[in-house]
Amino acid sequence: MATPITVVIRNQQYRIVAEEDEGYILACAEMVNKALDEALGGTTLSLADGAVLAAMNLADRCCKERQVTDNLRAQLKEALDENARLSKEMGDKRKRKPAAPKGEGE
């Protein structure tokens, strides 16, 4: 169930209604505050321009993390495929292995 949570971003209160827990929403608000502080630090940008710059910086981080995640998924898929291939190869070798020689006189 969606719960209203109040966060403060750049000294302005915002009421957020979200399914996520309060800790998650507060962590997101902190990330936005930090991104705004970085974008506006030492500049004369307006809050609106700083918000756009902060959003671009956050989007950049998100896209880079997605690339890393996609790369890791591809590596994992390759490893799993190689594991499956080797398992099949081992099974095939076991099937082809000749039976142990029987004792003489049998």
Side-chain angles (χ1 to χ4, degrees):
M1 181 174 174
T3 305
I5 301 163
T6 300
V7 298
V8 178
I9 298 174
R10 297 292 289 189
N11 300 319
Q12 177 71 40
Q13 288 189 351
Y14 296 91
R15 186 176 169 106
I16 308 291
V17 178
E19 296 289 331
E20 291 81 5
D21 65 45
E22 183 175 357
Y24 176 82
I25 299 302
L26 292 174
C28 289
E30 179 60 31
M31 186 182 294
V32 170
N33 267 315
K34 186 175 179 181
L36 280 167
D37 288 345
E38 289 171 2
L40 291 169
T43 69
T44 57
L45 291 175
S46 68
L47 181 57
D49 288 342
V52 170
L53 182 56
M56 286 299 296
N57 289 337
L58 288 169
D60 176 54
R61 289 183 207 158
C62 181
C63 289
K64 286 177 180 170
E65 289 297 325
R66 186 179 303 141
Q67 288 174 344
V68 168
T69 301
D70 290 347
N71 186 24
L72 288 172
R73 280 192 184 114
Q75 289 177 22
L76 180 58
K77 184 184 181 318
E78 287 176 19
L80 290 171
D81 290 347
E82 178 69 3
N83 187 6
R85 184 190 67 76
L86 291 171
S87 292
K88 183 180 181 321
E89 189 177 299
M90 291 284 292
D92 291 347
K93 285 184 179 180
R94 286 188 187 124
K95 289 177 186 175
R96 287 183 272 149
K97 185 178 180 180
K102 294 185 179 186
E104 293 182 17
E106 287 185 33

